[in-house]
Amino acid sequence: MTIVAAVSVPQRGIALDVRAVKIVIQRDLIRTVQDRTRFVAALVQPLLFLFVLGAGLSSLTQGSTGALDLQQFMFPGILATSTLFTAVFSAMSIVWDREFGFLREMLVAPVRRSSIIVGKALAGATVATVQGTLVLVLAPVVDVPLNATLALTLLGEVFLLSFTMTAFALAIVARITQVQTVMGLMQVLILPLSFLSGALYPLSNLPGWLSVVTRLNPLTYAVHPVRAAVFEHLSMSPEVRQRLNPPITWGGWIVPTSVQLLLVAGIGAALLAVAVVQFQKVE
Amino acid sequence: MTAVEVEGLRKSYGEVVAVDGVDFTVARGEAFGFLGPNGAGKSTTIKILCTLASADAGTARVAGFDVRTQRDDVRRHIGLVFQDTTLDGYLTAEQNLRFHAELYGMPRQSVQPRMRQVLEMVGLWERRGSKVLTFSGGMKRRLEIARGLMHSPRVLFLDEPTVGLDPQTRNSIWEYIAQLREQEDITIFLTTHYMDEAEHCDRIAIMDVGKLVALDTPAALKASVGHDRVTIRTADDDLAAQALPDAVRTADGIVISTEDGASYLPRLFATLDVPILSVSVRRPSLDDVFLAYTGRTIRDSEQAAGMPAFISAMVRR
Ligand SMILES: Nc1ncnc2c1ncn2[C@@H]1O[C@H](COP(=O)(O)OP(=O)(O)OP(=O)(O)O)[C@@H](O)[C@H]1O
Ligand SMILES: [Mg+2]
């Protein structure tokens, strides 16, 4: 063996932080690929929604969806919700890391805490987008015509959505030390958020309170563009389109998709900043 | 350059004063041991030195850098092996080390050779492709030591590196530490509550309820206690203790320190009316040093700290 003299850790800089972000992402990807059960579970949920709930309910809704199949209607919402769950789950892994001690290995490294959080957020978004790709494979089965443009648009939107959701979850869990707490908390938060986002039903003809709440829910602005993109590729009468995918309005102003996406990105960035601040306080 | 310099360090958690005004320095290249019972404040001191916790008062410099104002510089120059494992069980040994290398920004071309070197040292090179959760406790600890060394730190902190390991693994860990000190310019700072292990250190600080009660080489500490230790068990320890004014009562029996144990025993037998059940005479050990400085054996302190005897017996093996 040779005598190793020099400390081989260079001064901090952007390049180092980028490497840290990359390895945090890489680790999460390795762990996800290895975790077969989680992988299967992540696919079972959209399958259940689409082929059991969707098929079962469609006899009930035949008259109301016009020429559209219920499964076609539900597809974008299911794409959004299933990736949302994956993203949140991915963020929660930081609590596992803490409980099993690995977080400490990251906390004492000579890197910015923010690199770790950014790495986790990007990892969550990546994993969720990979899952989104798998859900997209189901599109032709439910008669959603898929072309390259639509697929890329959807995956881009899914990435943005899941990045924001991971950041949201990170902001909440950054200082939680127990896995048990976090499991309960996420159940309480995620279901209402997705139920109130219009992912599972159209935003038209809602009771007054619900139409207010859905408009306040940031997730609504992530789900709507996904559905809008899919609906552009489906043929239906203007009335049906209006009823099943009404534009989101603020006091009469139709909020354009670009503004919605910007809003989601902005909220994601803000939540990420909150997560970083929370994480700085961790000992 | 001194490797570690600590002045007036203090840290409390609410009511509990974990570290209560501690001063010491560790010279470069030294193996320095922190010895103390459960809850003495050893881990807390290490956490402060490695920038994981901030002190309420006092200053600390590690590898020449201030732990408060130059966090990153400190972190770059230290390696850590915590009391509880911090490995990712779902990754392989190699993946764990690679993660570390990337996080510490090691030059890419040096990662592979260094990984091989440290893994060979702890005898895990052949197992590098196995997931860590398939490793035994001893293998995990060895892997953590290897990982702590990846980036060639100047100071290696080992918090209870051998706790819960079998004697053979404990010995091999001490061999790595000896080997390291020969081969690399490294200072070792470790904590332990095994007396026999403290003997491996150049100097020992004895810590008790947040304070340092003694600091010197093992030999000097033992010399300061000076005398042989005679431990007796009798039919009635209370009565015997009254008859022996210089004796200290411990969980092990009555301890008397005397210039020369061999010549003291006949006198003891002659003076004591209480029947004696057993007698042992020992040269002073670090246990005795602890006893002399704190008035308790290390085991008594752990029981006083609320740890039932059977658990501390298990922890201590
Ligand atoms: N995060 C914490 N919150 C509250 N109290 C703490 C915390 N960490 C340590 N303490 C308290 O500080 C004291 C010293 O603890 P420390 O872990 O430093 O002891 P130790 O010498 O390492 O003991 P052991 O041999 O059991 O590892 C204990 O009374 C402990 O309860
Ligand atoms: Mg400890």
Side-chain angles (χ1 to χ4, degrees):
Chain A
M1 262 198 252
T2 49
I3 293 173
V4 178
V7 169
S8 49
V9 180
Q11 292 286 323
R12 179 150 101 178
I14 287 293
L16 262 192
D17 285 316
V18 171
R19 268 179 92 180
V21 169
K22 269 172 44 189
I23 195 70
V24 170
I25 299 176
Q26 203 179 330
R27 165 171 175 260
D28 269 23
L29 291 183
I30 292 174
R31 296 270 313 247
T32 311
V33 171
Q34 283 175 354
D35 194 350
R36 299 265 158 72
T37 22
R38 194 175 131 193
F39 198 69
V40 172
L43 275 184
V44 165
Q45 193 212 16
L47 287 174
L48 271 179
F49 266 109
L50 212 50
F51 295 107
V52 179
L53 198 64
L57 286 180
S58 57
S59 61
L60 200 64
T61 58
Q62 244 155 19
S64 60
T65 47
L68 212 61
D69 209 36
L70 180 67
Q71 287 170 329
Q72 283 175 307
F73 169 78
M74 283 177 79
F75 183 77
I78 286 164
L79 176 64
T81 37
S82 61
T83 51
L84 175 162
F85 272 97
T86 305
V88 169
F89 201 83
S90 179
M92 279 160 58
S93 68
I94 209 164
V95 184
W96 264 268
D97 284 346
R98 188 196 302 266
E99 194 150 311
F100 293 111
F102 190 76
L103 189 67
R104 208 175 245 192
E105 154 82 351
M106 301 194 245
L107 291 182
V108 291
V111 293
R112 272 178 239 277
R113 296 258 167 114
S114 49
S115 332
I116 297 166
I117 289 291
V118 170
K120 279 278 178 192
L122 290 175
T126 311
V127 171
T129 308
V130 170
Q131 199 209 342
T133 315
L134 294 174
V135 175
L136 276 189
V137 173
L138 300 174
V141 185
V142 293
D143 290 327
V144 170
L146 209 57
N147 59 30
T149 328
L150 178 60
L152 287 179
T153 311
L154 288 178
L155 288 181
E157 287 170 353
V158 160
F159 186 84
L160 182 65
L161 157 80
S162 39
F163 176 80
T164 299
M165 281 314 289
T166 317
F168 166 72
L170 282 172
I172 292 175
V173 304
R175 295 180 72 186
I176 294 183
T177 50
Q178 279 167 338
V179 169
Q180 272 189 345
T181 322
V182 89
M183 295 291 266
L185 194 63
M186 285 303 156
Q187 296 282 343
V188 168
L189 284 172
I190 296 309
L191 275 183
L193 264 181
S194 56
F195 280 6
L196 295 172
S197 69
L200 303 171
Y201 47 80
L203 292 174
S204 53
N205 306 324
L206 294 179
W209 67 271
L210 190 52
S211 88
V212 172
V213 175
T214 49
R215 243 169 274 205
L216 289 176
N217 182 358
L219 205 54
T220 304
Y221 303 93
V223 171
H224 191 266
V226 174
R227 181 174 295 141
V230 170
F231 273 37
E232 263 175 37
H233 291 75
L234 297 174
S235 53
M236 67 193 87
S237 66
E239 303 82 64
V240 173
R241 192 179 293 276
Q242 174 63 31
R243 186 153 46 79
L244 293 186
N245 187 36
I248 301 177
T249 53
W250 288 343
W253 179 59
I254 296 181
V255 187
T257 303
S258 57
V259 172
Q260 294 182 32
L261 291 175
L262 275 176
L263 189 69
V264 174
I267 291 173
L271 288 170
L272 193 66
V274 173
V276 168
V277 171
Q278 292 289 339
F279 201 55
Q280 301 287 6
K281 297 181 197 156
V282 169
E283 262 197 5
Chain B
M1 186 195 77
T2 43
V4 181
E5 273 179 88
V6 172
E7 257 183 59
L9 211 59
R10 241 171 242 287
K11 168 93 183 169
S12 355
Y13 290 103
E15 297 280 282
V16 181
V17 184
V19 180
D20 191 6
V22 164
D23 306 270
F24 61 88
T25 57
V26 180
R28 183 170 169 180
E30 199 175 7
F32 187 86
F34 244 46
L35 178 69
N38 289 124
K42 307 181 296 290
S43 297
T44 307
T45 309
I46 286 205
K47 275 188 212 158
I48 297 171
L49 293 181
C50 66
T51 75
L52 260 186
S54 53
D56 299 336
T59 57
R61 295 178 78 79
V62 174
F65 303 103
D66 189 298
V67 296
R68 195 190 304 268
T69 57
Q70 297 167 294
R71 269 181 178 223
D72 275 345
D73 290 304
V74 172
R75 291 174 177 196
R76 255 197 291 281
H77 291 84
I78 60 174
L80 285 162
V81 178
F82 291 107
Q83 193 168 353
D84 310 308
T85 175
T86 63
L87 295 162
D88 185 342
Y90 291 92
L91 299 184
T92 64
E94 180 168 358
Q95 285 168 336
N96 268 286
L97 295 198
R98 285 207 179 278
F99 186 92
H100 187 87
E102 290 297 310
L103 217 52
Y104 280 71
M106 283 176 65
R108 289 206 170 77
Q109 68 283 3
S110 71
V111 174
Q112 189 66 24
R114 180 66 175 172
M115 173 150 53
R116 179 162 192 154
Q117 185 189 10
V118 294
L119 281 180
E120 276 176 348
M121 179 182 123
V122 300
L124 287 174
W125 174 247
E126 305 300 327
R127 296 294 306 271
R128 65 189 180 281
S130 310
K131 277 193 194 167
V132 171
L133 48 78
T134 66
F135 282 13
S136 70
M139 290 164 76
K140 283 184 193 158
R141 197 63 56 85
R142 276 145 59 198
L143 180 60
E144 284 200 86
I145 293 177
R147 184 180 66 182
L149 292 170
M150 266 302 274
H151 56 285
S152 311
R154 286 293 87 111
V155 185
L156 179 66
F157 289 94
L158 300 161
D159 197 2
E160 314 258 1
T162 57
V163 80
L165 303 181
D166 61 71
Q168 206 185 337
T169 314
R170 283 171 60 181
N171 282 339
S172 52
I173 285 181
W174 285 107
E175 278 164 27
Y176 309 143
I177 292 176
Q179 193 185 340
L180 258 178
R181 298 182 58 199
E182 262 170 41
Q183 289 173 346
E184 305 198 2
D185 173 16
I186 193 165
T187 306
I188 312 255
F189 186 111
L190 62 91
T191 73
T192 177
H193 52 209
Y194 294 116
M195 292 292 175
D196 51 332
E197 294 199 343
E199 312 259 1
H200 291 275
C201 302
D202 297 325
R203 284 192 309 148
I204 303 166
I206 296 182
M207 191 170 206
D208 191 31
V209 283
K211 287 195 162 73
L212 291 193
V213 292
L215 196 171
D216 214 325
T217 61
L221 283 175
K222 283 187 268 184
S224 75
V225 178
H227 304 298
D228 287 356
R229 324 292 296 178
V230 177
T231 308
I232 58 171
R233 278 200 176 281
T234 65
D236 186 343
D237 280 358
D238 293 327
L239 218 60
Q242 275 172 19
L244 302 164
D246 300 331
V248 183
R249 293 204 52 183
T250 73
D252 297 329
I254 298 173
V255 180
I256 307 133
S257 76
T258 174
E259 208 67 59
D260 178 16
S263 64
Y264 174 74
L265 283 186
R267 272 186 288 144
L268 175 73
F269 291 138
T271 49
L272 207 59
D273 298 334
V274 189
I276 296 174
L277 304 178
S278 69
V279 177
S280 68
V281 181
R282 280 185 299 109
R283 302 289 309 153
S285 71
L286 285 173
D287 266 304
D288 304 318
V289 177
F290 190 86
L291 178 67
Y293 283 97
T294 66
R296 288 164 296 137
T297 64
I298 215 165
R299 201 173 327 159
D300 290 341
S301 318
E302 291 185 351
Q303 282 164 19
M307 184 180 268
F310 73 95
I311 293 183
S312 72
M314 274 165 55
V315 170
R316 294 168 60 86
R317 286 264 165 118

